[in-house]
Amino acid sequence: MSQPPGPKHDTLVVLDFGSQYSQLITRRLRELGVYTEMLPWNAPAERVLALDPKGYILSGGPASVYAPNAPTLPEYVAASGRPVLGICYGMQLLAQRFGGHVAPGDQREYGPGEVQVTTPGGLFDGLADRLPVWMSHGDRVEALPPGFTPLARSDGSPVAAMGDAQGRYGIQFHPEVTHTRDGKALLANFVRRTGARPDWTPGAFIEESIAAIQAQVGDGHAVCALSGGVDSSVAATLVARALGDRLTCIFVDHGLLRQDEAQTALAMLRPVIQAPIIHVDASARFLSALEGITDPEQKRRVIGELFIRVFEDVTSGDLRFDVQVLGETVGRVMASLQEADYLVQGTLYPDVIESAEPYGRGSAAPAAKIKTHHNVGGLPTDMQFQLVEPLRSLFKDEVRAVGLALGLPPAVVYRQPFPGPGLAVRILGEVTPERLATLRAADAIVRGEIEAAQAQLDPPVWQFFAVLVPVKSVGVQGDFRTYADLIAIRAVTSEDGMTADWARLPHDLLGRIAACIVNAVPGVNRVAYDITSKPPATIEWE
Ligand code: XMP
């Protein structure tokens, strides 16, 4: 695994106390150009101190500081002498640890609110004296610790912000969410106080990442699982720059791709990726392994495992593939493949966090496991490859910025996300060739119609696709009663896929898509539109 740059950059550390916004704090700080890592509050001190943090941000969290077994302030933070920003629970921890008093407030403050700044400058430098903010707390600071002064108040909190001369601050609201209008300016003030240099740029990442890949792989050879998406394309480009002709990319058609996807993706990628790309059609093998499986997590596991087996078979020479595509380089590529000990994957930071493995595979951590992302949790334990994951510390928007800096075309960089396990995720229930054909045909209509309308849609739709629901219902077509499948349309607006809202598509467009699907796709007599946001739903159905 390639290591994030850590001490090469001035680093800030977000300690996660369980708030749903912890990742967002991390992203906001990186948007300010400072390398920031998020770690669980109980991460080993050596792991955190190895980063030599210039400052700490303590996230919010659901606990009460006085509850039995509540998360505590790590001693290395208290003793660090470095600036600290405690947000909500983080503020209460600071108050409690340094001798203040925290108690349940008379009124809980959730959602939009306002704070009045009582001590301008410092953390509030350049900000208005009344700030719209996003609150989410029950407890509040009732007595300040010695050495701290109040900086702001709200209706429900006599101390909505506090600070001391050492740069330890507490705020009772969330600066990371867009509802706190000047939240980013406040975070920038804190960053300035830490003295951390904003040197986290795509160019710096590319340079360090190439060096880290070279250090990890040495004179070894690697294969890269290329899917056509931005993550694997950026990962492949970085590794190609690091290893040159010791990298071979493998595009596996697992039979779960969208209509004509293998051909279009390969045509798009071959001129762009500076490494040979082998196309392996393993669809029959995947479909037979998926027979009878309906549980979504089991599907992901089966697909994740088979992916690795296919790579192992290709590199050991047990699997035949179309060598024509490799032209003159075939001999060299075959030799490199046989020596490949490393597998490159485009795993991202949120995958690492959502799979609850921030210290590496198999570790325990407080973040709740949401689903097994196929490129993290679904890998077999007896895999013969070592992983190279150059994007493991990046958020999606950072990957796009790196992709552009690497010179990848916008068609690759801004491609819609598509899950590694492909249409198996969007077919609820069993995956069969017939059901795949149904979903492919419906999905092609959804994508075609929305793409054609995209230019008129504001805000733009971030991701759109069809889902095959395992429900049949009665309909009437011509003079006949039908009992046929239901297709759901999913279209969302989002910034990064972490949260999303359903897209307010024009009714005419939705009507056109529905009519087209029921007329053109055999076995479908009903179309529904998903109008749930994430959370509480997810973008994919599964
Ligand atoms: P959910 O369904 O969790 O999806 O709201 C968030 C975003 O992630 C994509 N997704 C995946 N991407 N491998 C991927 O590379 C996966 O296994 C996977 N599962 C979901 C999904 O399409 C959405 O954009």
Side-chain angles (χ1 to χ4, degrees), residues 18-38:
S19 158
Q20 53 178 322
Y21 299 126
S22 301
Q23 276 198 55
L24 207 49
I25 306 170
T26 313
R27 282 192 44 214
R28 292 284 175 263
L29 293 164
R30 289 196 189 180
E31 282 165 19
L32 292 167
V34 181
Y35 182 68
T36 307
E37 273 208 45
M38 173 178 138

Side-chain angles (χ1 to χ4, degrees), residues 1-2 205-218 220-226 230-249 272-276 336 340-347 386-392 402 406 408:
M1 172 186 114
S2 71
F205 172 82
I206 290 168
E207 223 172 87
E208 283 156 22
S209 172
I210 289 174
I213 296 163
Q214 287 166 337
Q216 183 192 0
V217 178
H221 291 246
V223 287
C224 176
L226 205 58
V230 59
D231 306 342
S232 59
S233 302
V234 170
T237 305
L238 281 171
V239 178
R241 290 215 183 158
L243 303 185
D245 61 10
R246 287 179 288 129
L247 172 71
T248 309
C249 295
V272 166
I273 306 287
Q274 301 303 310
S336 175
D341 287 328
Y342 293 88
L343 175 68
V344 181
Q345 288 215 124
T347 312
Q386 295 181 56
L387 285 178
V388 180
E389 296 178 310
L391 312 180
R392 215 179 147 79
V402 169
L406 285 167
L408 294 178

